[in-house]
Amino acid sequence: MAKSKQTFSKKEKEAKRLKKRKEKDEKREERKTTGKRSFEDMIAYVDEFGQLSSAPPDPKDRVELKLEDIQLGARIEREDLEPELPSGRVTYFNDEKGYGFIKNQRTKESIFFHSQQVTGTVAVGDMVTFQMSMGNRGPAASGVVKI
């Protein structure tokens, strides 16, 4: 049988590997002797007041919460939760073609509406309330009612 040939690069790689292992073992022994902190010593707990502590929380003090009791965001104080309909003034209306534009009073945005979406009759300069919806070409007003 032929003897396996060990080249210089194989010897060099093996020497590097052994050196790394030796350094790792030395670091492990150094940590043991110097008494560096373990993972358990590094854990911090948060108490019910949001303060960090080194002691784990007491399971007896645990409080069960209902998912419905958790509120995300700011609390709404208003009693009437009905959304206000946006209002605006009719700036353009073409009765022959059946469309017009409303300038939103709050955002000053010009919104398209079709005469089929109007309840009653409207003319240029009338104040109206409406609901916002998305049309084929962008925002459109629906449910237009003269104030």
Side-chain angles (χ1 to χ4, degrees):
M1 285 204 137
K3 190 176 177 184
S4 66
K5 295 182 180 178
Q6 192 168 13
T7 61
F8 176 76
S9 64
K10 285 183 182 179
K11 287 180 184 177
E12 193 174 305
K13 285 180 184 179
E14 181 68 19
K16 282 184 180 180
R17 187 180 66 78
L18 291 173
K19 183 180 176 185
K20 271 189 173 182
R21 173 163 286 207
K22 185 178 176 185
E23 287 174 358
K24 190 174 183 180
D25 289 339
E26 287 173 0
K27 285 181 182 179
R28 185 181 308 128
E29 287 300 318
E30 182 183 340
R31 281 195 304 266
K32 285 182 181 178
T33 58
T34 58
K36 288 197 175 181
R37 297 174 18 179
S38 66
F39 178 71
E40 286 78 24
D41 295 336
M42 291 188 270
I43 293 178
Y45 301 96
V46 180
D47 64 5
E48 64 269 13
F49 305 110
Q51 302 295 321
L52 293 176
S53 68
S54 59
D58 188 13
K60 295 175 188 172
D61 297 337
R62 185 176 180 169
V63 177
E64 292 291 327
L65 295 176
K66 295 179 185 173
L67 189 60
E68 299 84 34
D69 294 341
I70 299 173
Q71 179 179 352
L72 299 177
R75 183 179 303 271
I76 298 174
E77 297 293 333
R78 291 181 42 192
E79 294 289 326
D80 57 338
L81 295 177
E82 288 186 27
E84 289 185 22
L85 290 176
S87 61
R89 188 173 301 276
V90 177
T91 57
Y92 176 80
F93 183 63
N94 188 334
D95 195 24
E96 293 174 6
K97 294 185 178 180
Y99 72 93
F101 291 95
I102 301 170
K103 188 164 197 165
N104 191 335
Q105 205 171 21
R106 186 175 300 153
T107 63
K108 307 298 183 206
E109 180 183 20
S110 185
I111 300 155
F112 172 82
F113 72 95
H114 195 272
S115 62
Q116 292 177 346
Q117 298 295 330
V118 177
T119 304
T121 59
V122 294
V124 175
D126 289 345
M127 287 294 292
V128 294
T129 59
F130 56 94
Q131 295 175 348
M132 292 292 292
S133 62
M134 284 305 287
N136 294 340
R137 297 184 182 172
S142 60
V144 179
V145 179
K146 182 177 177 181
I147 300 176

